[in-house]
Each structure stands twice: as structure tokens, then as C-alpha cells.
């Protein structure tokens, strides 16, 4: 048996030695070819993603009469105009919508990060009876569509006298189940030795949470904050039901009224959509590294 095994090993070594050894030049050539092929594929995919955006920009820079004629007329039109942008930016409503979206999104981010992390901390770091049941109930909340809760939330806000206020948009979006889940998964990956050392020094649970856990959770705080900001900024249903004052309307609700009043003025509609998404594009441009680091470091493990 040993002789047979030795013979097989010798054959394997002989076969490996007989294979042609690739030079470093050949390896570098193959790597360069792979990079070129990858760049081409990524470039094509990026172009496919950019085409709708470029089409929206071209339509917004055309006149409403040209845009109503369809795609051939829009493509053939070479006389670009910023009339739609001038009309929208000249009206005071757009700036009120920007302000309302900025206020509601920012306050919701702050409250969501604070309360979601506080809810996730005991689920991850503390032992108490029924912890598993509580966590399962929290996770089950992910399966409840937000549209189902619109009527109960509206009646509750009406009873509290909060309709037509920023709080009617902020408070219902603070209890974000997904944020609690993400924080809990991240906290699970933090070494418990750090917490135990702080407890030995006499730190309370609050002190450990605020001075040990949260400083180590900056990546997940960035991820939850950015995702919450984008979600609140783009939310249409809740502000549509709770806000009727034009000065308090957020960007999605304001754009919905613009589209409803403009009818076939497609250039104005496209311009309003671009202006509504522009702040999010700027945020992503400056915070793209934090977005990637935050999503990669959220600790979403099995």
C-alpha cells in the first residue's frame, strides 16, 4: 500500500513538473487583459444606468412643446433651454419643500439612530427573560408593510393634534425595525472583553453603551443614518396623508402636486424630478466612501 501511494505521489509530482511554467510577463499580460475586459463590462453597465438619467436631463432642457411630441423630437432638438428650471427655482414653494425635507429627514435620522441603538443594545449585550421572543417580534415587524399602518397612524396623529406639523412626518418613521436589526447584528460582533473591562471599572450599562459601544459603532451609525435620510427624503405616502399645508410639504409631495397641475408639461415634470433628486446625488458624491464602509461594516451575519 505504501509503495502504491509513493508511486501516485511521484506521478503527481512528475505531472506538475511537466506543466509549462508561465512567465511573469505572461501573467502580467493576462492580468491586464482581465482589467480591460472588466473595465469594458463596467463601462457598459454604467452607460445602461446613465441612459435614463441622461434622457431625463435632455427632456428637462427641452421646451414643453418639444417634449410633448415624443422621443424623436426630443432627440432632434438642439436648442436647449433652462426655462423649466427657471420657473421651478423662481417659485417659493420649491425652497419650502427643500426646507421641509431637510428638517424632517435630519431630525428623523438623529432620533432613529439614538432610539434604534438603545433598543438594540439590550437585545445584543444584556441577558433577560424573553429576549429571544422580543427579538423575534422586532424582526417580525419587518414583514409588516408600511402602507397597512397609514390609516391607524393618521388617526393617532389626528387624535394627538399633530397633523400638518413636521412631527407628523418624523415620529412615525423613528421606530425603524430594520435599523434595530442592523444595530443588533453589529453589536454582536463587538468583543465582550471591552464591555467586561468597563464593567469591572464600575461603569453602568448606560456608560458602557455611550462610552464603549457607540464610539466603536461609527460605521453602522453612518450606514443607518444615510439609509434613513434617503428613505425619509423619498417617502411620499406618509407626508401625503398628514400634510395639506403647501409650506410644509416635502419634496415628494410637492413634486406630486407639480405633476398633477402641469399635465402634459413633460419638461417641467422632468426638471422637478431632477431637482428633487439632486440633494441625494450630492450627498452620495461626498459621502460615498462612508456609505460603502458603513454597509460593509454593518455586521450583517447569519
Amino acid at each position: 500500500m505504501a509503495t502504491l501511494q509513493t508511486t501516485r505521489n511521484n506521478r503527481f509530482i512528475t505531472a506538475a513538473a511537466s506543466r509549462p511554467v508561465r512567465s511573469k510577463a505572461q501573467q502580467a499580460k493576462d492580468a491586464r487583459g482581465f482589467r480591460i475586459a472588466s473595465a469594458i463590462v463596467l463601462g457598459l453597465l454604467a452607460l445602461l444606468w446613465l441612459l435614463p438619467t441622461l434622457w431625463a436631463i435632455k427632456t428637462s432642457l427641452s421646451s414643453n412643446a418639444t417634449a410633448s411630441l415624443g422621443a424623436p423630437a426630443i432627440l432632434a432638438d438642439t436648442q436647449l433651454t433652462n426655462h423649466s428650471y427657471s420657473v421651478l427655482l423662481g417659485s417659493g414653494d420649491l425652497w419650502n419643500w427643500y426646507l421641509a425635507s431637510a428638517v424632517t429627514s435630519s431630525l428623523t435620522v438623529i432620533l432613529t439612530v439614538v432610539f434604534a441603538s438603545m433598543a438594540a443594545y439590550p437585545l445584543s449585550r444584556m441577558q433577560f427573560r424573553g429576549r429571544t421572543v422580543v427579538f423575534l417580534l422586532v424582526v417580525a415587524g419587518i414583514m409588516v408593510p408600511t402602507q397597512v399602518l397609514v390609516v391607524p397612524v393618521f388617526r393617532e396623529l389626528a387624535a394627538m393634534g399633530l397633523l400638518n406639523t413636521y412631527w407628523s412626518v418624523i415620529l412615525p418613521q423613528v421606530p425603524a425595525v430594520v435599523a434595530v436589526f442592523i444595530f443588533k447584528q453589529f453589536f454582536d460582533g463587538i468583543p465582550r472583553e471591552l464591555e467586561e473591562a468597563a464593567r469591572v471599572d464600575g461603569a453602568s450599562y448606560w456608560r458602557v453603551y455611550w462610552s464603549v459601544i457607540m464610539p466603536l459603532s461609527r460605521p453602522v451609525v453612518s450606514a443607518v443614518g444615510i439609509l434613513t435620510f434617503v428613505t425619509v427624503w423619498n417617502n411620499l405616502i406618509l407626508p401625503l396623508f398628514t400634510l395639506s399645508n403647501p409650506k410644509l410639504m416635502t419634496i415628494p409631495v410637492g413634486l406630486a402636486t407639480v405633476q398633477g397641475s402641469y399635465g402634459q408639461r413633460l419638461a417641467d415634470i422632468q426638471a422637478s424630478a431632477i431637482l428633487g433628486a439632486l440633494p441625494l446625488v450630492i450627498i452620495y458624491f461626498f459621502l460615498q466612501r462612508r456609505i460603502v464602509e458603513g454597509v460593509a461594516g454593518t455586521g450583517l451575519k447569519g
Side-chain angles (χ1 to χ4, degrees):
M1 180 65 68
T3 304
L4 180 60
Q5 184 65 29
T6 302
T7 303
R8 290 179 177 176
N9 292 339
N10 292 335
R11 290 178 179 176
F12 177 78
I13 294 173
T14 303
S18 61
R19 294 175 183 173
V21 179
R22 301 174 62 189
S23 62
K24 292 184 178 180
Q26 183 65 30
Q27 294 178 2
K29 183 179 180 181
D30 293 344
R32 181 184 177 187
F34 177 78
R35 288 195 298 267
I36 293 176
S38 301
I40 293 175
V41 173
L42 292 176
L44 292 176
L45 293 177
L47 181 61
L48 290 176
W49 280 102
L50 283 175
L51 280 178
T53 303
L54 296 176
W55 176 257
I57 295 175
K58 179 63 173 65
T59 304
S60 67
L61 294 175
S62 302
S63 63
N64 288 297
T66 302
S68 63
L69 297 178
I74 295 175
L75 292 175
D77 183 25
T78 57
Q79 297 179 354
L80 303 181
T81 176
N82 62 349
H83 175 73
S84 298
Y85 292 99
S86 299
V87 171
L88 291 171
L89 294 175
S91 63
D93 290 338
L94 182 65
W95 300 110
N96 290 331
W97 301 340
Y98 273 133
L99 177 62
S101 293
V103 171
T104 55
S105 300
S106 300
L107 290 178
T108 304
V109 166
I110 296 173
L111 295 177
T112 299
V113 169
V114 172
F115 288 108
S117 61
M118 291 175 63
Y121 175 71
L123 293 175
S124 174
R125 317 299 290 188
M126 299 172 63
Q127 298 293 334
F128 58 90
R129 182 177 298 178
R131 186 183 69 164
T132 303
V133 176
V134 173
F135 179 66
L136 291 178
L137 291 176
V138 171
V139 175
I142 301 177
M143 297 181 291
V144 179
T146 56
Q147 293 82 355
V148 177
L149 304 176
V150 170
V151 175
V153 168
F154 178 84
R155 294 175 64 89
E156 184 176 357
L157 293 173
M160 298 172 63
L162 294 178
L163 294 178
N164 269 324
T165 64
Y166 286 151
W167 294 112
S168 64
V169 180
I170 296 171
L171 294 180
Q173 301 187 83
V174 170
V177 179
V178 176
V180 176
F181 177 77
I182 293 176
F183 270 112
K184 194 266 182 186
Q185 294 299 98
F186 185 88
F187 291 165
D188 288 344
I190 297 178
R192 293 188 176 271
E193 289 78 7
L194 300 174
E195 182 178 356
E196 294 172 357
R199 295 288 296 169
V200 169
D201 292 338
S204 62
Y205 282 113
W206 171 258
R207 186 70 176 177
V208 172
Y209 158 78
W210 187 254
S211 300
V212 178
I213 301 299
M214 291 306 292
L216 297 174
S217 305
R218 291 177 181 175
V220 70
V221 169
S222 299
V224 172
I226 294 170
L227 295 177
T228 302
F229 188 92
V230 173
T231 301
V232 177
W233 185 279
N234 290 328
N235 193 343
L236 170 64
I237 296 179
L238 182 62
L240 184 64
F241 277 85
T242 59
L243 299 176
S244 59
N245 187 348
K247 295 183 179 181
L248 298 178
M249 287 182 178
T250 58
I251 283 290
V253 180
L255 295 183
T257 60
V258 168
Q259 294 178 13
S261 61
Y262 281 175
Q264 293 299 319
R265 295 165 63 179
L266 300 180
D268 293 342
I269 294 175
Q270 289 291 353
S272 63
I274 292 174
L275 291 176
L278 186 60
L280 299 181
V281 175
I282 295 174
I283 290 174
Y284 179 80
F285 180 79
F286 287 102
L287 300 178
Q288 55 182 323
R289 178 176 297 180
R290 284 194 171 272
I291 295 174
V292 174
E293 292 177 353
V295 173
T298 49
L300 292 178
K301 295 177 260 189

